[in-house]
Amino acid sequence: QAIDDDCNQTGQILAAMLDWPQGTFVSQVELEAGAVRVQREVDGGLETLRLRLPAVLTADLRLNQPRYATLPNIM
């Protein structure tokens, strides 16, 4: 979680400072040779981008399914 009050500024500013491509609100990541293919949610549906590496990615909540500890594992 970013220190910019969840305004999605940190990743974009970092990408601009490094002059690297960026993928924001990424919900799916697939590595390729020298590139990364990302899927992100936009107003009209889903958008797929292919970015050369290195790149800056910011994650969406759907990128990971949280695992919850069961009661026996907690004890």
Side-chain angles (χ1 to χ4, degrees):
Q1 188 166 7
I3 59 170
D4 61 4
D5 295 323
D6 288 336
C7 294
N8 193 30
Q9 298 171 352
T10 304
Q12 294 182 35
I13 292 171
L14 179 63
M17 291 174 65
L18 294 171
D19 195 27
W20 286 2
Q22 62 178 315
T24 56
F25 298 111
V26 173
S27 60
Q28 185 178 1
V29 178
E30 296 176 21
L31 288 175
E32 297 178 354
V36 63
R37 186 177 304 273
V38 298
Q39 191 173 59
R40 59 190 298 260
E41 188 174 337
V42 294
D43 290 337
L46 295 175
E47 178 181 49
T48 302
L49 302 172
R50 185 178 183 275
L51 307 169
R52 63 177 167 76
L53 292 176
V56 176
L57 304 178
T58 63
D60 186 50
L61 292 175
R62 286 168 285 286
L63 182 63
N64 186 26
Q65 292 292 337
R67 296 181 300 170
Y68 297 102
T70 62
L71 184 58
N73 289 339
I74 294 172
M75 298 172 79

